[in-house]
Amino acid sequence: MSDCIFCKIVDGKIPAKKVYEDEDILAFNDISPARPVHVLVIPKKHITSLATADAEDTLVLGRILAKANEIAVSQGSPDGFRVIINTGRVGQQEVPHLHAHIVGGPDPVGPMLKRI
Ligand code: AMP
Ligand code: ZN
């Protein structure tokens, strides 16, 4: 998708600090980290969000999760991490190219959400 910022990172048109790459997925550091480890893992193929993903995307979605621990450990989060996939308006997704946030570091990341 030509006007998508994460597609531009995949195409090398915008720089990013890549931490993992294979033929289907790319992982790079978040430009504005919320934790000592904050990596975004994306499908190289443009998928807007989990709300638009379909059965064809099952494999690449699985790859993102299957690689999460390796990426987290390699970046300095050896004892676990959190995966967040913000989706659509309610999920407050800002970048409309599906991405999993992997957040972690040496210390626990904090509470998930405030209870209602
Ligand atoms: P979300 O709200 O889930 O859509 O998160 C979008 C994330 O993308 C935010 O954490 C941003 O800091 C991050 N981000 C935006 N532009 C870039 C970029 N050029 N390189 C790396 N991370 C980015
Ligand atoms: Zn895209």
Side-chain angles (χ1 to χ4, degrees):
M1 229 196 189
S2 57
D3 62 347
C4 169
I5 188 169
F6 287 176
C7 283
K8 286 181 182 167
I9 288 174
V10 171
D11 293 341
K13 292 174 182 154
I14 289 180
K17 174 76 179 50
K18 295 180 186 179
V19 299
Y20 176 79
E21 181 169 18
D22 63 29
E23 64 180 33
D24 296 321
I25 67 174
L26 174 66
F28 51 94
N29 283 332
D30 196 291
I31 203 166
S32 177
R35 292 291 182 278
V37 174
H38 190 165
V39 175
L40 303 178
V41 193
I42 67 171
K44 287 189 167 177
K45 167 195 163 187
H46 182 87
I47 302 169
T48 300
S49 79
L50 280 184
T52 66
D54 59 28
E56 272 181 22
D57 303 321
T58 303
L59 208 64
V60 75
L61 293 175
R63 285 185 83 89
I64 287 170
L65 294 181
K67 278 286 167 192
N69 187 63
E70 181 183 316
I71 292 167
V73 170
S74 76
Q75 297 308 303
S77 196
D79 294 327
F81 53 90
R82 183 171 294 162
V83 176
I84 301 164
I85 304 179
N86 295 323
T87 302
R89 178 182 66 85
V90 171
Q92 296 189 294
Q93 179 181 2
E94 287 171 13
V95 176
H97 180 130
L98 193 155
H99 51 282
H101 297 252
I102 297 177
V103 289
D107 303 317
V109 295
M112 191 172 69
L113 285 174
K114 275 196 210 154
R115 305 285 169 193
I116 55 174

